Amino acid sequence: DSVLALAETRGIGGRRLVWAGTRNGGLSVWDGERWRRHDRASGADLPSDLVQALLETRDEAGRGPLWVGTREGVARYDGERWRNLAAEPGWPTSSVLALLEDRTAEGRWALWIGTSTGLYRWSDGAITQLKSSESPNTRRLRKTFPSSS
């Protein structure tokens, strides 16, 4: 299966984990000894088994969830439980292509979600879709930052 996204996280006891998001097989995780699969058939509450973006965020203790961007929305894994955020009001159900952790000027945490239908921001427990006047114009960005290929 094609690998579309990679991320490294720290598991229980600080053990290094390598995650691979695939085109049709959900996620596979390498713990240094073996691969384990997390997909909808195995009970992972993913919006889709097509995984396109991965991001681990960290709290002050150095632990945090793995955010998973799929073809049909976002899921979060805390190391024990999956949460399908696409099933919750306001969260995107379109193809998630990018995830970014951010801190505001006041030090508050935010998650940026780039989708096939626009840009979302989750902060202070609220999800907001940026209006077209607030979102980047991708045509303008392509012209400003031409591809090297």
Side-chain angles (χ1 to χ4, degrees), residues 67-120:
W67 297 87
V68 180
T70 77
R71 177 180 52 205
E72 298 173 16
V74 178
R76 186 173 72 186
Y77 182 61
D78 68 7
E80 295 178 11
R81 287 179 295 282
W82 286 95
R83 184 172 169 195
N84 181 348
L85 297 165
E88 298 184 15
W91 282 83
T93 56
S94 55
S95 189
V96 175
L97 304 169
L99 298 165
L100 176 73
E101 179 179 21
D102 190 20
R103 298 272 176 198
T104 66
E106 299 81 27
R108 292 192 314 265
W109 181 87
L111 176 69
W112 292 90
I113 305 164
T115 77
S116 58
T117 59
L119 188 61
Y120 291 76

